[in-house]
Amino acid sequence: MSTTVAAARGPIDPNLLALSTPVRRWIFVAGVLTTLNVAATITLGLAIGITVARVLGEGDPAWPLFAAVSLTAAAAKVACSWALTRFGEAVGAEAASTLRADALRALALKDPRTVDLSAWRATLTVGIDGVAVYIAEFLPSIVAAALATPIALFTVAFLDLYSFAIAAVTLPLVPLFMWLVGRLTEGRTERRLADIGTVRSQILDLITGLPTLRAHGIASAPDAEIRRLSEQHRDSSMAVLRVAFLSSMVLEFLTTLSIALIAVSIGFRLLDGSSTLSTGLAVLIIAPEIYAPIRAVGHKFHAAQDGLVAAREVTALLSAPSPVASEESSASGTEVAPTVEFRDFSAPGRDGCRPYLLSAVAGPGRVTVLAGPNGVGKTTALLAAAGIVTENLCGQVRVTVHGPELLRRIAWVPQRPVLDPASIGDDSRRSLGQRQRQALQLALSDPSRNLVLADEPTAHLDSDSAREVIDSLRERARRGATVLVSSHDPLLIDAADDVVEVRAK
């Protein structure tokens, strides 16, 4: 699923900012809070430096002023830190939820044959969860590095040029090392997400097939494969963690050594009298603020890598044109049901053409059945009629309405429907047949959706329930809808107005 665009390879994804107004506002708010926070730190450093120096003999300390300034600065730092955490988490959770919903809507319009389900499962779960961390923690650290570090650096330059020179020389080493680590970590994180998707997909397949394995007495056969997948996931996760721990150690070493050099320089100049104690103390308090934001970027970078990779994948998906949404509606304004026509329609794939040279017409007022055994491409034909399957097709699929109008007219009933708990309650205890009947009832309840596409609507029903479903479909056709279904159920085939045999090659 390498859909990442080249323009989004930096630590900030411009596509994410373009898609999310709350994130853009959050970056501005984080900038204001960061500026206030570093200003409070500088104020507190100056107040402590001057007061301590006066206590040690450089003058009489102004205790009331010191208390007022220190308490105000400390309160400002606490308030800014709380606001950065509180608002960051809220914006991150909102953006992650919005991205997940937008991605699901976009994937619903893509050709399902081209969607890597295992990769997108990992992206929309573990990856999107990391987007909240990316927005709440990593973006504010980037803003702090862009604002707090220059402010602290120029304050040190104003107070002590020697300390400024040491900081100016050592500071670039930190982002240079972070860039090198980032290039290494990014590929490992992408591989880890891919491994998560593979593990989940294959374990779900094993669980789905477990009744069959038990029926044949080989339920323990997948043990070796599960162990292999688990070890693969463990190895990829440990590779990311090793790099994260190593980079954190080196970042701490570089920043600690840099601050120590500044402290040693101040100590020597205090001995020879070329610097005052108040200036030295103030610089020592402010100097860590030069390195802390950049060090925080390095720490947050590893925690946000899942989110950064997922954000790139999702924004690339959302930026791609939708073949359905990009077409203009050709509806004439009437509500006559659409007509669907296949002309020598074929869908080539790895296993041949499924279907192969399908020709059929489904018109208003009629029930048309695409008949044939499993695996000949009946579902693919329905998805092509809905405008969802669009790639690598041969022949023609013509529908008399297009684009958003087509989506508005379709009543889609898949073979394994997922129902909305908000509208029908908990469906976890419903059988597949019950869910299928409920989905059909909901689809047929909207009279404006007059193109009914149903995939094996009677496959999981007993004969009495199947006849009720068939009657519902025929009644909907009698009222003018175009009903196109796939089935190999003799009851449904006998009740159809038109039956088209679908074959594969």
Side-chain angles (χ1 to χ4, degrees), residues 198-199 202-203 225-233:
T198 302
V199 169
Q202 296 195 23
I203 288 180
E225 180 65 10
I226 292 176
R227 280 195 295 270
R228 185 190 67 80
L229 293 172
S230 300
E231 291 174 1
Q232 178 180 327
H233 173 50

Side-chain angles (χ1 to χ4, degrees), residues 108-462:
L109 298 177
K110 287 184 67 67
D111 186 337
R113 300 172 303 162
T114 65
V115 176
D116 187 339
L117 293 179
S118 63
W120 277 110
R121 283 192 191 105
T123 297
L124 295 178
T125 53
V126 177
I128 291 293
D129 289 342
V131 170
V133 178
Y134 171 76
I135 293 172
E137 300 181 13
F138 183 69
L139 285 184
S141 68
I142 288 285
V143 173
L147 295 176
T149 293
I151 293 173
L153 190 61
F154 286 125
T155 302
V156 169
F158 176 77
L159 295 173
D160 184 7
L161 286 176
Y162 290 103
S163 298
F164 167 77
I166 295 173
V169 171
T170 57
L171 184 62
L173 297 176
V174 180
L176 174 63
F177 177 77
M178 285 168 48
W179 176 80
L180 294 173
V181 171
R183 298 297 295 177
L184 176 63
T185 305
E186 185 176 42
R188 294 173 183 262
T189 302
E190 291 173 349
R191 288 194 295 272
R192 174 175 168 269
L193 281 178
D195 288 343
I196 290 174
T198 302
V199 169
R200 290 186 173 187
S201 178
Q202 296 195 23
I203 288 180
L204 284 174
D205 289 342
L206 291 172
I207 293 173
T208 302
L210 191 57
T212 303
L213 295 175
R214 292 188 63 184
H216 289 82
I218 54 173
S220 61
D223 289 354
E225 180 65 10
I226 292 176
R227 280 195 295 270
R228 185 190 67 80
L229 293 172
S230 300
E231 291 174 1
Q232 178 180 327
H233 173 50
R234 182 193 61 194
D235 291 343
S236 61
S237 297
M238 288 304 300
V240 174
L241 290 174
R242 278 194 293 268
V243 174
F245 287 137
L246 178 62
S247 63
S248 296
M249 183 190 71
V250 175
L251 284 176
E252 291 292 339
F253 175 76
L254 285 176
T255 54
T256 302
L257 181 61
S258 301
I259 296 171
L261 290 174
I262 292 175
V264 169
S265 170
I266 291 173
F268 280 120
R269 282 180 286 113
L270 285 175
L271 290 175
D272 63 19
S274 60
S275 178
T276 63
L277 181 60
S278 59
T279 298
L281 289 174
V283 169
L284 283 178
I285 293 173
I286 298 171
E289 295 301 314
I290 299 174
Y291 301 94
I294 298 180
R295 184 173 56 186
V297 170
H299 291 163
K300 304 299 183 184
F301 178 80
H302 298 290
Q305 267 297 286
D306 286 349
L308 183 56
V309 172
R312 288 171 178 169
E313 298 289 356
V314 172
T315 53
L317 170 70
L318 299 180
S319 301
S322 169
V324 174
S326 63
E327 298 179 4
E328 296 183 359
S329 173
S330 62
S332 61
T334 66
E335 290 299 321
V336 175
T339 296
V340 180
E341 181 179 4
F342 299 95
R343 288 189 180 179
D344 295 329
F345 171 68
S346 300
R350 292 177 297 177
D351 301 326
C353 289
R354 301 172 184 269
Y356 176 65
L357 296 180
L358 171 63
S359 294
V361 177
R366 301 183 70 81
V367 176
T368 303
V369 174
L370 301 178
N374 290 331
V376 295
K378 302 188 298 295
T379 301
T380 300
L382 291 179
L383 293 173
I388 297 174
V389 168
T390 58
E391 300 179 18
N392 302 322
L393 303 178
C394 301
Q396 295 179 336
V397 182
R398 294 183 177 179
V399 186
T400 52
V401 295
H402 309 286
E405 179 67 15
L406 174 60
L407 294 179
R408 189 182 69 80
R409 298 283 197 94
I410 289 176
W412 169 252
V413 185
Q415 187 174 357
R416 294 180 177 273
V418 177
L419 303 177
D420 182 7
S423 60
I424 66 161
D426 183 15
D427 70 337
S428 60
R429 297 184 181 181
R430 294 172 182 258
S431 68
L432 183 55
Q434 289 174 324
R435 296 203 305 270
Q436 203 165 23
R437 291 183 63 185
Q438 183 69 43
L440 181 65
Q441 181 182 348
L442 291 173
L444 299 181
S445 64
D446 186 350
S448 67
R449 296 187 177 274
N450 51 15
L451 174 56
V452 179
L453 302 176
D455 188 11
E456 302 281 1
T458 61
H460 307 284
L461 303 177
D462 57 44

